[in-house]
Amino acid sequence: MILKVYTSLLLLFLANSVWTRTVRQVYDDLDPDHWSHYTSECPQECFCPPSFPNALYCDNKGLKEIPPIPARIWYLYLQNNQIETLSEKPFVNATHLRWINLNKNKITNSGIEGGVLSKLKRLLYLFLEDNELEEVPAPLPVGLEQLRLARNKISKIPEGVFSHLENLTMLDLHQNSLLDSALQSDTFQGLNNLMQLNIAKNSLKKMPLSLPANTLQLFLDNNSIEVIPENYFSAIPKVTFLRLNYNKLSDDGIPPNGFNVSSILDLQLSHNQLTKIPPINAHLEHLHLDHNKIKSVNGTQICPVSIALEDDYGYYGNIPRLRYLRLDGNEIQPPIPLDIMICFRLLQAVVI
């Protein structure tokens, strides 16, 4: 199980490396005699490096409009400009685009021409962070693998906007204006391969409904969540990294064994209102509980297996796998209780 999880995460975070290798093969086969041709069709506002003919750099140029994109371009960099609109005209010949970075512009929903994004059939990565969007743009290219919409003004997710994005593995909506009402039971329907969902720094009071079953990483920091529903994580049985820092969770808001989930390896509950450590699973490796209201720690009570039975398991059995425990910012006084060390024999760091 753990091997499969780490394999999936490796595929997610090293996707860019795969494309780099693919493009590098193209570069290696490029005839230097053709460089002048590539340079001549390069938009004058942009930079077309001869050694990277599939990339077009138009970032930090003060652009207000997107220049015509040559047909050969796979990677388009337009970040840090003053662009307000996305129209179809600049992309007429750009049928091979895989990657568009439009971060830090002034794009609004009304400035996006209808269907312009969905017509980019080969697009895999779309970055629209730090713009002026008030809702998730639609329709989107069906082949997208990553969609990054952080730090906009998004308060609405149109119905069915994600329903055909079966290849999407990462959806980043953090630091927007989402309320609970924006996340309906069918909002994430169709995201069958989603692995990372980031809805941190919004205005949620409840855990989002009906998340994709393949979700591995769920980031909900900096919201106002008070309650974890009973058996909530049974619907996302592969969740491995869970961040709920800076919320309003109390002991009463966590059901018995709410976080006793075998798939969770990294659990972050910092800056909440907990007075005791919730029950955890023996598979958990990292636990962040700093800056709560915890006054004492009893290793015998929080140990996920009986301390008396640990000798029978040995290092090849089901001993607790906790390696990192953070408890600073509470009301706990050192030293660390001995029964903590007896239970969690693999602990490498305790912050208290």
Side-chain angles (χ1 to χ4, degrees), residues 66-258:
I66 299 174
I69 309 304
R72 72 175 190 275
I73 298 303
W74 286 20
Y75 300 91
L76 178 58
Y77 297 89
L78 288 160
Q79 67 270 25
N80 292 300
N81 281 294
Q82 304 293 318
I83 298 169
E84 298 181 358
T85 60
L86 294 180
S87 62
E88 184 177 345
K89 185 177 179 180
F91 300 105
V92 169
N93 297 318
T95 57
H96 295 282
L97 278 175
R98 266 69 165 176
W99 171 304
I100 299 178
N101 189 334
L102 279 159
N103 292 345
K104 295 187 178 180
N105 278 282
K106 296 183 177 181
I107 298 168
T108 63
N109 289 96
S110 61
I112 301 177
E113 185 176 326
V116 61
L117 293 174
S118 62
K119 291 178 181 178
L120 302 173
K121 303 295 185 182
R122 301 188 183 186
L123 194 66
L124 301 178
Y125 300 85
L126 177 58
F127 299 171
L128 279 165
E129 299 178 344
D130 295 285
N131 276 278
E132 313 248 341
L133 299 173
E134 296 183 353
E135 61 182 70
V136 175
L140 292 163
V142 296
L144 271 187
E145 294 182 5
Q146 290 190 17
L147 177 59
R148 305 191 185 212
L149 298 169
R151 294 178 299 278
N152 277 274
K153 303 174 182 178
I154 295 173
S155 61
K156 181 181 179 181
I157 300 178
E159 184 176 357
V161 67
F162 302 130
S163 60
H164 300 295
L165 303 186
E166 295 186 358
N167 295 327
L168 199 71
T169 59
M170 175 190 287
L171 175 58
D172 191 345
L173 288 162
H174 89 269
Q175 200 166 331
N176 277 284
S177 303
L178 292 170
L179 300 171
D180 296 317
S181 57
L183 305 181
Q184 301 299 315
S185 59
D186 60 350
T187 294
F188 301 108
Q189 185 175 344
L191 298 178
N192 299 328
N193 289 295
L194 192 71
M195 290 191 286
Q196 184 185 107
L197 178 59
N198 191 342
I199 326 179
K201 293 189 177 181
N202 278 278
S203 300
L204 304 181
K205 294 183 178 180
K206 300 178 181 179
M207 297 290 285
L209 302 172
S210 303
L211 298 184
N214 283 320
T215 303
L216 295 176
Q217 300 180 328
L218 178 58
F219 303 151
L220 291 164
D221 315 76
N222 292 91
N223 280 284
S224 299
I225 297 171
E226 298 179 357
V227 176
I228 307 294
E230 189 84 31
N231 300 318
Y232 180 84
F233 299 105
S234 62
I236 45 175
K238 298 181 181 180
V239 64
T240 305
F241 297 90
L242 177 61
R243 291 197 334 216
L244 280 159
N245 304 319
Y246 291 95
N247 275 281
K248 297 182 179 180
L249 289 171
S250 64
D251 301 329
D252 294 336
I254 301 175
N257 293 309

Side-chain angles (χ1 to χ4, degrees), residues 322-325 340-341 344-350:
L322 194 68
R323 289 170 168 79
Y324 180 87
L325 175 60
I340 291 285
M341 308 309 296
F344 301 108
R345 301 182 186 181
L346 301 181
L347 264 177
Q348 297 175 355
V350 180

